[in-house]
Amino acid sequence: MSEIQNQSNRQDKRISKDEYYLGIAREVSRRSTCFRRTIGAIIVRDDQIISTGYVGAPRKTKDSLQHGFCLRDRLHIPHGQRYELCRSVHAEQNTIINAARAGVSLLGGDMFIFGSDSKTGQPIDAFPCFVCKKMIINAGLNRVVCSTADGKWTVFSVDDWARDWRENDILDDTHQYGKTNEGQHE
């Protein structure tokens, strides 16, 4: 095989930047301490990782794994509801917080979020909740790349979220609490 053909074959197998950064977010997710979801997030600006975070309890507090149970499971609270009763801080929030702790600007960056079911390890649609979306908009990020249940990913424009909410109000979000606009669970 010629050198040119060998290089061409290697380039055909090379993963995209989005897939590369989602793979790193998947590794970050392995630190998660949630019984329900394993989520990791990273923020990339100018092709450089500037912050990481995973779902877990606030620093210096006991997480659900240390307690041995999930409070929201014990109270039979469905996914996407009553987040104030959760011990954990979302991966997206922790990523933004970690950048702030380091004094790093997020303006113009992209967030990559990988998620899986904690019990089965199966990929999930790792779309941000309303609170995280609002934080992402205010942080000045450009795109959010989320893993999906089919093993692929979806790219969201943060400007599109803000425009959609200006025109339709925040309650009409198409990915509200893990439901599609048809009202089916994802």
Side-chain angles (χ1 to χ4, degrees):
M1 183 178 293
S2 74
E3 183 66 29
I4 293 172
Q5 286 176 324
N6 193 20
Q7 288 176 354
S8 177
N9 288 341
R10 227 179 50 210
Q11 288 176 346
D12 292 343
K13 295 177 185 177
R14 190 172 189 212
I15 61 174
S16 70
K17 288 282 181 135
D18 285 351
E19 190 174 3
Y20 167 71
Y21 287 126
L22 273 177
I24 295 170
R26 177 182 23 231
E27 285 303 308
V28 172
S29 77
R30 295 177 62 199
R31 291 281 305 153
S32 296
T33 60
C34 175
F35 276 102
R36 290 181 171 196
R37 298 286 185 247
T38 302
I39 309 279
I42 67 171
I43 297 174
V44 176
R45 192 184 69 226
D46 298 327
D47 207 21
Q48 188 173 19
I49 297 169
I50 59 173
S51 187
T52 69
Y54 53 87
V55 63
R59 285 175 172 81
K60 302 178 185 176
T61 68
K62 289 173 85 174
D63 59 50
S64 292
L65 297 179
Q66 291 169 317
H67 280 281
F69 67 94
C70 170
L71 181 60
R72 291 175 65 233
D73 277 348
R74 212 173 249 185
L75 297 173
H76 307 289
I77 297 170
H79 290 284
Q81 297 178 15
R82 305 292 313 270
Y83 286 128
E84 74 276 10
L85 296 178
C86 182
R87 287 187 183 96
S88 293
V89 178
H90 288 185
E92 302 92 325
Q93 296 167 353
N94 272 328
T95 306
I96 292 168
I97 291 165
N98 288 339
R101 288 173 61 99
V104 177
S105 173
L106 305 179
L107 288 173
D110 294 334
M111 182 178 281
F112 294 82
I113 307 166
F114 180 86
S116 61
D117 183 282
S118 293
K119 293 173 185 72
T120 67
Q122 294 299 310
I124 60 167
D125 291 332
F127 304 145
C129 72
F130 269 9
V131 173
C132 289
K133 281 184 175 183
K134 291 185 279 187
M135 291 178 70
I136 289 167
I137 290 170
N138 278 356
L141 296 173
N142 286 336
R143 297 183 321 141
V144 178
V145 181
C146 304
S147 67
T148 56
D150 62 4
K152 297 179 182 174
W153 62 89
T154 297
V155 180
F156 295 100
S157 163
V158 176
D159 284 343
D160 287 349
W161 285 345
R163 183 176 39 258
D164 184 45
W165 288 354
R166 273 193 311 273
E167 295 170 3
N168 300 311
D169 198 16
I170 196 168
L171 297 177
D172 292 333
D173 185 63
T174 53
H175 294 95
Q176 179 182 0
Y177 295 121
K179 296 180 182 179
T180 64
N181 55 358
E182 291 88 28
Q184 300 172 349
H185 286 285
E186 294 179 335

